[in-house]
Amino acid sequence: MSSKHFINDPTHLVNTALHSLTLTNPAVALDAANKIIYRRPGSYNRTANASYASQRVSIISGGGSGHEPSFAAMVGPGLLDAAVAGTIFASPSAAQVRAAIMGRVDHDSDGGGVLVTVMNYTGDVLNFGVAVEKARAAGVRVEMVVVGDDVGVGRAKAGKVGRRGIAGTVLVHKISGALAALGRPLDEVVKVARLVAANLVSVGASLEHVHVPGRAAVEDAEHLGAGEVEIGMGIHNEPGSGREKGLELPELVGRMLKQMLDQEDRDRAFLRVNSNEVVLLVNNLGGVSVLEMGGIVAEVVAQLEKEYAIKPVRILSGTFMTSLNGLGFSISLLNVVNTDIGGPGMIELLDYPCEATGWSSPVAKITWEEKNAAVREDDAAAVEGGVKPSGLTMDAGAAQEALVAALESVVSVEAEVTRYDTIVGDGDCGIGLKRGAEAILNHLSAKPLSGDAVLDVAHIVPVVEIEMDGTSGALYAIFLNALVAALKSVAPAEMTPKLWAAVLKQSCEALSKYTPARPGDRTLVDALYPFVEVLEKTGDVKQAAEAAKSAAEGTKGMKASLGRTVYVGGSGFEEVPDPGAWGLASFFLGLAGIKETEEFWETI
């Protein structure tokens, strides 16, 4: 791989690349602090197409940098309204995404709202999910569509994680963006976006891994040798279905098309491409010459017709979603189906005019001449507004005492949780839980519970979002934001254990949208679900806590289906319980006033 770059500072590289978009397209602005590219207010009704003035739905996407022109260069009329950028190959934070939803797009028109489209990578799904739940809790109509179009990794290997999102995602953006530009309501835009996502298959191939600017140039074991090609390589250097040596282009294309279209391959037959209309997208991963891309497109089209009798009605070729300067390409096929919304159809929406530099569409003359300098500077937190008293009351003193005991219980088992996670993970679970618990304890010391359930939970949420990082931090943030929304839906009343169980169950349902984790997967969910279920049945916090403890104990010997433990290997999972489940069980035990001896913990 080449480790030579003109800009070796990755932070400076991302920041200046985002700024450049405001130079090449005067209709977009940059929120530099949050790394958000967004359409300037007032740019909606100044294009040649007057229908843009009636737009009610805003569309937001984003992800790690390094995939340009996705996502930021896809911002413009007829496509995205805002894009949020992370560092290179890393998801943006929930706070960045929330700033985009709450302060950088319109979302309060009649029948309107926000569609958030994200590719299926754990960090993206969780961090965008936190922001979506936060926005819902603030009263914004927002829906999220997760796109997984890659067939490079089959069902058996992908498991519950599912298919990765790659270049086919831009077709979801283009078609849903056109529908939004036509002024259609949120439910229709979301429905069509999901239809497109469900009818996409893609696969990539690359001759080499890419080097991320700023990282040490080391020749790792994953380096592809001379003449080798990796079929199904992901857009972050992830492995695909396998490597081949000495493949010429016709044979390589044949292998790729077979992975997408062979219905006999049950591991990869994700979609039956049976429509009379099929869209072909051939995407440059960043390092293939324009000349060579032409030859690749010609080969793909020829084989589709000869081997599968497919004549695409639209053929798109270019650089839509890269992996930095990846020496590879991807093929995407869209099975065009009826949108079932009374028109327009997918092809009409694909053909609909847009104005975004990443879609290789020229910026209109009027955009240059109007010299629009408008920006959005509202703070996301201010736009969300303060949380109002709910009338859901509880004994503030008793609740404070129980919550403090629960948090102190989490702090007390940090060493055990860290030991467990050192065996089956990367050793940071205990420290992360302790950091979050201590931050909440400090918050409660400075601002004791008021006795209003909504206010008290809502004030704890930002503490968790700021202090707890990683996957578990995102999961807890999603859960608590969903809990605030669930509490807001309850009529004023005195909080009882069963009422708490009802809103906690709603929060579990919300969490399940963003993670496939269920009891039996060896995650914190193994302790969470039993607690809620027993609390709902009995109304007894102690019985519920005991159920959580038993379930956490039961994870010992359970093989993980999700999380970093999947990759660690070895027999450690047979020796210790899941660290996340054990930490959460200790919280519930403290909440119920159950104290376990040190000897008890050490027996596990």
Side-chain angles (χ1 to χ4, degrees), residues 12 141 222 311 342 365 394 415 493 570 580:
H12 178 66
R141 289 189 68 212
E222 299 301 316
K311 295 182 179 181
K365 180 173 180 282
M394 58 186 179

mmCIF file with all atom_site columns, all heavy atoms in Angstrom, residues 12 141 222 311 342 365 394 415 493 570 580:
data_model
loop_
_atom_site.group_PDB
_atom_site.id
_atom_site.type_symbol
_atom_site.label_atom_id
_atom_site.label_alt_id
_atom_site.label_comp_id
_atom_site.label_asym_id
_atom_site.label_entity_id
_atom_site.label_seq_id
_atom_site.pdbx_PDB_ins_code
_atom_site.Cartn_x
_atom_site.Cartn_y
_atom_site.Cartn_z
_atom_site.occupancy
_atom_site.B_iso_or_equiv
_atom_site.pdbx_formal_charge
_atom_site.auth_seq_id
_atom_site.auth_comp_id
_atom_site.auth_asym_id
_atom_site.auth_atom_id
_atom_site.pdbx_PDB_model_num
ATOM 1  N N   . HIS A 1 12  ? -6.516  17.897  10.325  1.00 0.00 ? 12  HIS A N   1
ATOM 2  C CA  . HIS A 1 12  ? -6.452  19.008  9.370   1.00 0.00 ? 12  HIS A CA  1
ATOM 3  C C   . HIS A 1 12  ? -7.020  18.596  8.020   1.00 0.00 ? 12  HIS A C   1
ATOM 4  O O   . HIS A 1 12  ? -7.733  19.379  7.368   1.00 0.00 ? 12  HIS A O   1
ATOM 5  C CB  . HIS A 1 12  ? -4.995  19.445  9.216   1.00 0.00 ? 12  HIS A CB  1
ATOM 6  C CG  . HIS A 1 12  ? -4.785  20.551  8.227   1.00 0.00 ? 12  HIS A CG  1
ATOM 7  N ND1 . HIS A 1 12  ? -5.278  21.829  8.417   1.00 0.00 ? 12  HIS A ND1 1
ATOM 8  C CD2 . HIS A 1 12  ? -4.155  20.566  7.012   1.00 0.00 ? 12  HIS A CD2 1
ATOM 9  C CE1 . HIS A 1 12  ? -4.953  22.586  7.378   1.00 0.00 ? 12  HIS A CE1 1
ATOM 10 N NE2 . HIS A 1 12  ? -4.281  21.840  6.513   1.00 0.00 ? 12  HIS A NE2 1
ATOM 11 N N   . ARG A 1 141 ? -40.373 14.727  14.851  1.00 0.00 ? 141 ARG A N   1
ATOM 12 C CA  . ARG A 1 141 ? -40.719 13.534  14.078  1.00 0.00 ? 141 ARG A CA  1
ATOM 13 C C   . ARG A 1 141 ? -39.476 13.126  13.290  1.00 0.00 ? 141 ARG A C   1
ATOM 14 O O   . ARG A 1 141 ? -39.038 13.815  12.381  1.00 0.00 ? 141 ARG A O   1
ATOM 15 C CB  . ARG A 1 141 ? -41.860 13.817  13.102  1.00 0.00 ? 141 ARG A CB  1
ATOM 16 C CG  . ARG A 1 141 ? -43.221 14.029  13.750  1.00 0.00 ? 141 ARG A CG  1
ATOM 17 C CD  . ARG A 1 141 ? -44.300 14.089  12.681  1.00 0.00 ? 141 ARG A CD  1
ATOM 18 N NE  . ARG A 1 141 ? -44.469 12.789  12.028  1.00 0.00 ? 141 ARG A NE  1
ATOM 19 C CZ  . ARG A 1 141 ? -44.828 12.614  10.765  1.00 0.00 ? 141 ARG A CZ  1
ATOM 20 N NH1 . ARG A 1 141 ? -45.036 13.662  9.971   1.00 0.00 ? 141 ARG A NH1 1
ATOM 21 N NH2 . ARG A 1 141 ? -44.982 11.398  10.258  1.00 0.00 ? 141 ARG A NH2 1
ATOM 22 N N   . GLU A 1 222 ? -2.128  -8.519  6.618   1.00 0.00 ? 222 GLU A N   1
ATOM 23 C CA  . GLU A 1 222 ? -3.270  -8.499  5.722   1.00 0.00 ? 222 GLU A CA  1
ATOM 24 C C   . GLU A 1 222 ? -2.913  -7.944  4.343   1.00 0.00 ? 222 GLU A C   1
ATOM 25 O O   . GLU A 1 222 ? -3.768  -7.872  3.470   1.00 0.00 ? 222 GLU A O   1
ATOM 26 C CB  . GLU A 1 222 ? -4.391  -7.659  6.341   1.00 0.00 ? 222 GLU A CB  1
ATOM 27 C CG  . GLU A 1 222 ? -4.920  -8.187  7.672   1.00 0.00 ? 222 GLU A CG  1
ATOM 28 C CD  . GLU A 1 222 ? -5.457  -9.592  7.560   1.00 0.00 ? 222 GLU A CD  1
ATOM 29 O OE1 . GLU A 1 222 ? -6.173  -9.874  6.580   1.00 0.00 ? 222 GLU A OE1 1
ATOM 30 O OE2 . GLU A 1 222 ? -5.136  -10.422 8.422   1.00 0.00 ? 222 GLU A OE2 1
ATOM 31 N N   . LYS A 1 311 ? -30.614 -6.239  -18.738 1.00 0.00 ? 311 LYS A N   1
ATOM 32 C CA  . LYS A 1 311 ? -30.220 -5.027  -19.445 1.00 0.00 ? 311 LYS A CA  1
ATOM 33 C C   . LYS A 1 311 ? -30.618 -3.841  -18.583 1.00 0.00 ? 311 LYS A C   1
ATOM 34 O O   . LYS A 1 311 ? -31.799 -3.469  -18.551 1.00 0.00 ? 311 LYS A O   1
ATOM 35 C CB  . LYS A 1 311 ? -30.898 -4.946  -20.809 1.00 0.00 ? 311 LYS A CB  1
ATOM 36 C CG  . LYS A 1 311 ? -30.475 -6.034  -21.777 1.00 0.00 ? 311 LYS A CG  1
ATOM 37 C CD  . LYS A 1 311 ? -31.167 -5.840  -23.127 1.00 0.00 ? 311 LYS A CD  1
ATOM 38 C CE  . LYS A 1 311 ? -30.732 -6.894  -24.121 1.00 0.00 ? 311 LYS A CE  1
ATOM 39 N NZ  . LYS A 1 311 ? -31.388 -6.716  -25.456 1.00 0.00 ? 311 LYS A NZ  1
ATOM 40 N N   . GLY A 1 342 ? -48.659 5.813   -5.206  1.00 0.00 ? 342 GLY A N   1
ATOM 41 C CA  . GLY A 1 342 ? -49.373 6.558   -6.238  1.00 0.00 ? 342 GLY A CA  1
ATOM 42 C C   . GLY A 1 342 ? -48.458 7.368   -7.123  1.00 0.00 ? 342 GLY A C   1
ATOM 43 O O   . GLY A 1 342 ? -48.888 8.363   -7.720  1.00 0.00 ? 342 GLY A O   1
ATOM 44 N N   . LYS A 1 365 ? -26.238 28.333  -12.341 1.00 0.00 ? 365 LYS A N   1
ATOM 45 C CA  . LYS A 1 365 ? -25.677 29.685  -12.460 1.00 0.00 ? 365 LYS A CA  1
ATOM 46 C C   . LYS A 1 365 ? -26.267 30.620  -11.406 1.00 0.00 ? 365 LYS A C   1
ATOM 47 O O   . LYS A 1 365 ? -25.562 31.437  -10.814 1.00 0.00 ? 365 LYS A O   1
ATOM 48 C CB  . LYS A 1 365 ? -25.966 30.219  -13.865 1.00 0.00 ? 365 LYS A CB  1
ATOM 49 C CG  . LYS A 1 365 ? -25.455 31.614  -14.163 1.00 0.00 ? 365 LYS A CG  1
ATOM 50 C CD  . LYS A 1 365 ? -25.657 31.921  -15.636 1.00 0.00 ? 365 LYS A CD  1
ATOM 51 C CE  . LYS A 1 365 ? -25.161 33.327  -15.979 1.00 0.00 ? 365 LYS A CE  1
ATOM 52 N NZ  . LYS A 1 365 ? -26.128 34.347  -15.556 1.00 0.00 ? 365 LYS A NZ  1
ATOM 53 N N   . MET A 1 394 ? -42.581 10.913  42.371  1.00 0.00 ? 394 MET A N   1
ATOM 54 C CA  . MET A 1 394 ? -41.997 9.832   43.166  1.00 0.00 ? 394 MET A CA  1
ATOM 55 C C   . MET A 1 394 ? -41.388 10.449  44.405  1.00 0.00 ? 394 MET A C   1
ATOM 56 O O   . MET A 1 394 ? -41.171 11.670  44.471  1.00 0.00 ? 394 MET A O   1
ATOM 57 C CB  . MET A 1 394 ? -40.949 9.073   42.359  1.00 0.00 ? 394 MET A CB  1
ATOM 58 C CG  . MET A 1 394 ? -39.806 9.930   41.836  1.00 0.00 ? 394 MET A CG  1
ATOM 59 S SD  . MET A 1 394 ? -38.692 9.004   40.760  1.00 0.00 ? 394 MET A SD  1
ATOM 60 C CE  . MET A 1 394 ? -37.515 10.287  40.306  1.00 0.00 ? 394 MET A CE  1
ATOM 61 N N   . ALA A 1 415 ? -13.352 -3.516  39.836  1.00 0.00 ? 415 ALA A N   1
ATOM 62 C CA  . ALA A 1 415 ? -12.205 -4.416  39.703  1.00 0.00 ? 415 ALA A CA  1
ATOM 63 C C   . ALA A 1 415 ? -12.628 -5.758  39.122  1.00 0.00 ? 415 ALA A C   1
ATOM 64 O O   . ALA A 1 415 ? -11.947 -6.322  38.251  1.00 0.00 ? 415 ALA A O   1
ATOM 65 C CB  . ALA A 1 415 ? -11.532 -4.617  41.058  1.00 0.00 ? 415 ALA A CB  1
ATOM 66 N N   . ALA A 1 493 ? -49.162 10.840  37.176  1.00 0.00 ? 493 ALA A N   1
ATOM 67 C CA  . ALA A 1 493 ? -49.514 9.815   38.154  1.00 0.00 ? 493 ALA A CA  1
ATOM 68 C C   . ALA A 1 493 ? -48.351 9.637   39.103  1.00 0.00 ? 493 ALA A C   1
ATOM 69 O O   . ALA A 1 493 ? -47.261 10.187  38.897  1.00 0.00 ? 493 ALA A O   1
ATOM 70 C CB  . ALA A 1 493 ? -49.828 8.482   37.462  1.00 0.00 ? 493 ALA A CB  1
ATOM 71 N N   . GLY A 1 570 ? -10.557 -18.043 22.245  1.00 0.00 ? 570 GLY A N   1
ATOM 72 C CA  . GLY A 1 570 ? -10.124 -18.693 23.468  1.00 0.00 ? 570 GLY A CA  1
ATOM 73 C C   . GLY A 1 570 ? -11.298 -19.214 24.281  1.00 0.00 ? 570 GLY A C   1
ATOM 74 O O   . GLY A 1 570 ? -12.444 -19.199 23.853  1.00 0.00 ? 570 GLY A O   1
ATOM 75 N N   . GLY A 1 580 ? -20.425 -6.708  30.913  1.00 0.00 ? 580 GLY A N   1
ATOM 76 C CA  . GLY A 1 580 ? -21.494 -5.717  30.857  1.00 0.00 ? 580 GLY A CA  1
ATOM 77 C C   . GLY A 1 580 ? -22.732 -6.153  31.611  1.00 0.00 ? 580 GLY A C   1
ATOM 78 O O   . GLY A 1 580 ? -23.371 -5.362  32.326  1.00 0.00 ? 580 GLY A O   1
#
